[in-house]
Every structure is written in structure tokens, then in C-alpha cells.
Amino acid sequence: MLLVNGSIATMELGQGPYGLIDDGAIAIAGRDILWAGSMQDVPKDYHGFETHDLNGRLVTPALIDCHTHLVFGGNRAAEFEARLSGASYEEIARAGGGIVSTVSATRQADEDALLADALTRVDALIAEGVATIEIKSGYGLTIEDEMKMLRVARRIPDHREVRVLCTWLAAHAVPQEFDGDAEAYLDRVVLPGMDQAHAMGLIDAVDGFCEGIAFSPAHIRRVFEKATSLGLPVKLHAEQLTNLGGAALAAEFGALSADHLEYLDDAGVAAMSKAGTVAVLLPGAFYTLRETQAPPIDGFKEHGVPMAVATDCNPGSSPLASILLAMNMAATLFHMTPEAALAGTTRNAAAALKLGDAGTIAAGKRADLAIWDVRHPAELTYRIGFNTLSQRLFEGVFTQ
Ligand code: DI6
Ligand code: FE
């Protein structure tokens, strides 16, 4: 197939703003992109291809949501109300609400119910041109319930045209039955569960929540040592509410990403830069928690730390299933440019998931593409609550 007469934001590095090709074409064979370039340069070999006229519309790589917790039971509207009456996120967590309340609802739900609920959020993302979603465990907190969440996540591609990557986040909270004994929880659930889930093929990466209300850097080190021994890449929720040096610890283990990062200091930025760790920015959580300290965007730019943007879709701190709104918030709340926001949901999101085959439009990449009813890529980030997606290709096939 040959897509013709499009404005193509390839998002390839070093090819000018957005890697933009004004009057472009994309040749696709099977699942993959064969070639992308200007209309006048289309190789003769492709002239016989079935053509599809874009009529000047914008094409981007399909979007990638590289940080979500979108498999969970119940919701936290009551907690939302409590926060509006003055309770803080941390107070609610310490009083047994927050993450722990979602754990009860998730343990009670069966796989089919969790799947049906998750698909409503997956559908919202797909409708905005998303083709790859990372999904974390972390609301089961027993070996069996964590594996249940990941089995549900692994089943999503049987029902929708989307790629899912699964992350082991058993180190998300210490469940009530462990009465605050994080070490015992690591020994009996997080570490042996990682072995089992890995053996079942349920894990693509390992994450943790490094925070006063969750796990200390010493705890996370144990999680990362285990992941490393299994050959699994790591990432970390770090410096979201306080600065514990989590991002530097993640960088020490060559982490794919450190995520949130509102309280990151200069040393943390430098450590991430040296390790090539992606900064995953989550403006939905910043907004929901009415955070006032933004992550050090200028520091990331200065030190060449790649920045990704994701929804953090979860029932508590970011009940957000719109990647376009996450991009808009990244611009308005974090002062990221529209180009950086789009790189954050394409090229850099792919890097945060270690995907070599997605995130830009170039020969050899998967033909996962989003076609938009706009002329310029800045329009994607600029609009609030407008979805201008026209069509989506998943593995070279129109799905929308
Ligand atoms: N940080 C977050 O923003 C989510 N998890 C985490 O470690 C919030 C999870 C929740 O509140 O349910
Ligand atoms: Fe998160």
C-alpha cells in the first residue's frame, strides 16, 4: 500500500522540527513501513502499489502510552470527594485508603470483569490513535492476584488491535496483611512472585514505587537486583512526592525510565543523563494531586535526558484515559513544546519501553500510524478535549 499526499511527522531525530515531510508518501508492505519520503521521490517500484490519498492530512507514528495502571477493580470517586474536603493523597494512603482500597476491589474481581472494565479505558486510548500501551500490575499484592492482573493485560490484544507490554509492580504498596513489614512482603510476594510471573511469560519489565508511603531505596535495590538477575529491564516511580534519590538508583541499574520526577534534583538529572534513562512525565497525576512543583524540564533539556509523556491511567492519582490531554497538560503545566509533547508519546515513549520497532516513521518500523484531520502537528497538543483522529493503522491495517 502507498499512502500519498500527506503531511508526515516522522518524529525521526535530526530531520528538523517533527521530522516533517510536507508533501509526503509512505510505502507499506505487510506489517512494516518500507519507505517514507517526499511525493516526488517515491521509488518507481512502488508506483503499482494500491494507493490511499491522505488529501493533505497529518500522519504521525501511532501514539504510545508508556505508563499506565489501567487494569484495576472499582474506582475512587469517594476518595476524590474526600480530597476535595481537604484530605491529602498521603493522608488517605496512610489511613488505608488510596492504593490499598483499589487492592480490595481488584482482588474481588474476576478476570473477565477486570478485562471488560480495562477495555473501556483501552478503547478511549485507541480512539486517540494509541497502538501500544504499557500496563503495570500493583493492585493485587499477592502473587496470584498480581499474576491475575497481568494475565488480564496479556489478554487485551486478543480483543483489540493494540500491543500491550506488561510490568511487574508488586512493589507498589505494602498490603495490609503485612502490617507495614515491607521486607517480609518483598521476601514472600514481590521477589518470588517475580520469578513465577517471569516463568509464565507475563513480565516485560519491573517497576517499583520509591516513596515514603511505599518502598525505600534499600527495598527497591533488592527488587532491581532480582530483576537484573532475571535479565528484566527496570523502571521506577521516583521523586513523585519527595526526593529519596530513587531516580539515581534507577540510573545505577541502567533503568529504561524514571517516572514522575517532580522532586528530582540536579544530581538525579545528571545520573539519568549518564545512564540514558528516559524521564517519563505524568501531568495527569500532577494535575489531580494539585502538585505545584513541576519536574525539572529545563534540566532534562540541558542534559539531553529524553522526555516521554504518559497518562499514568489509574483510579487514584490520575483517572485519565486521554493521551491527547496528557500532551496538552505537559505543555501547559510543564512548559513542554508541542514538539516535545509529541516526541514524548512517540519516539521517547518507545525508548522508555525499549521498543526498537515503533515511535517514528521510517523504513523497517512497524506500520502503526495515526492519521489526523489537522494540517500541523502542533494542533494535536494545542486542542483541549478535541479528538481529531481520522484513521489509525495497526500493523499495516486500517482499524478505524
Ligand atoms: N504513583 C501513582 O501516581 C500511582 N501509583 C504510583 O505509584 C497512583 C496509584 C493509585 O493512587 O492508585
Ligand atoms: Fe504510575
Side-chain angles (χ1 to χ4, degrees):
M1 175 167 53
L2 190 65
L3 306 181
V4 297
N5 301 320
S7 168
I8 303 172
T10 67
M11 300 312 288
E12 281 280 305
L13 258 185
Q15 295 187 2
Y18 301 95
L20 201 61
I21 304 168
D22 274 333
D23 190 20
I26 303 173
I28 295 168
R31 210 191 72 162
D32 297 325
I33 296 170
L34 271 182
W35 177 90
S38 291
M39 282 299 285
Q40 73 247 28
D41 300 332
V42 175
K44 284 218 168 41
D45 303 1
Y46 307 149
H47 286 182
F49 279 30
E50 171 196 339
T51 62
H52 178 88
D53 197 336
L54 297 169
N55 295 310
R57 285 176 297 169
L58 173 72
V59 188
T60 66
L63 305 183
I64 298 170
D65 194 348
C66 70
H67 178 142
T68 85
H69 311 245
L70 67 70
V71 172
F72 58 82
N75 71 71
R76 304 240 289 277
E79 173 186 322
F80 177 64
E81 289 183 315
R83 277 192 283 108
L84 286 168
S85 310
S88 78
Y89 182 73
E90 280 164 291
E91 280 161 12
I92 289 166
R94 289 189 193 282
I99 293 175
V100 169
S101 75
T102 297
V103 171
S104 312
T106 304
R107 286 180 180 175
Q108 274 161 34
D110 67 24
E111 279 191 36
D112 289 342
L114 286 174
L115 177 64
D117 214 12
L119 287 177
T120 62
R121 299 180 274 276
V122 168
D123 285 340
L125 292 171
I126 287 176
E128 291 187 343
V130 170
T132 301
I133 304 174
E134 184 260 13
I135 302 177
K136 303 172 194 296
S137 70
Y139 292 121
L141 311 186
T142 66
I143 294 177
E144 190 38 48
D145 288 308
E146 289 287 294
M147 296 214 295
K148 176 175 78 174
M149 289 183 68
L150 295 181
R151 282 195 302 270
V152 168
R154 283 281 194 242
R155 282 173 62 193
I156 290 171
D158 298 338
H159 300 267
R160 295 294 187 275
E161 304 289 342
V162 71
R163 171 157 62 163
V164 169
L165 286 110
C166 290
T167 301
W168 180 253
L169 178 60
H172 193 200
V174 180
Q176 276 176 321
E177 61 272 21
F178 281 86
D179 201 20
D181 190 346
E183 292 288 349
Y185 173 62
L186 291 182
D187 287 334
R188 285 192 254 144
V189 176
V190 178
L191 304 180
M194 195 194 302
D195 265 326
Q196 284 185 42
H198 176 55
M200 306 282 290
L202 292 172
I203 312 183
D204 302 308
V206 171
D207 195 348
F209 187 18
C210 187
E211 195 58 65
I213 55 170
F215 296 88
S216 70
H219 297 140
I220 297 297
R221 180 177 291 280
R222 295 189 60 202
V223 176
F224 283 181
E225 280 169 354
K226 176 79 185 178
T228 304
S229 77
L230 295 175
L232 290 166
V234 300
K235 38 183 58 236
L236 189 66
H237 286 69
E239 276 73 75
Q240 179 185 7
L241 308 170
T242 54
N243 181 5
L244 299 182
L249 174 67
E252 182 189 326
F253 281 83
L256 296 178
S257 69
D259 304 40
H260 287 288
L261 304 172
E262 278 81 346
Y263 289 84
L264 188 68
D265 59 17
D266 291 345
V269 175
M272 287 177 65
S273 164
K274 208 165 147 222
T277 298
V278 177
V280 176
L281 305 171
L282 305 167
F286 176 94
Y287 165 84
T288 301
L289 301 182
R290 292 209 177 82
E291 183 53 71
T292 52
Q293 180 161 326
I297 304 296
D298 290 340
F300 294 140
K301 280 190 204 154
E302 254 164 58
H303 287 82
V305 175
M307 292 182 279
V309 173
T311 61
D312 197 16
C313 180
N314 77 64
S317 65
S318 191
L320 170 67
S322 169
I323 193 89
L324 292 174
L325 184 52
M327 289 161 63
N328 175 269
M329 286 176 166
T332 300
L333 301 174
F334 295 166
H335 297 266
M336 287 175 72
T337 63
E339 187 185 0
L342 186 57
T345 55
T346 56
R347 186 179 68 240
N348 294 340
L353 299 177
K354 210 181 177 179
L355 297 175
D357 62 356
T360 70
I361 296 176
K365 300 273 175 165
R366 284 160 61 107
D368 291 352
L369 302 171
I371 301 169
W372 309 88
D373 274 322
V374 305
R375 298 278 148 175
H376 193 275
E379 294 179 57
L380 302 180
T381 295
Y382 147 75
R383 291 200 171 82
I384 305 172
F386 277 57
N387 180 7
T388 58
L389 187 75
S390 166
Q391 287 179 296
R392 192 188 69 135
L393 274 96
F394 181 74
E395 296 183 337
V397 176
F398 284 103
T399 61
Q400 208 101 339

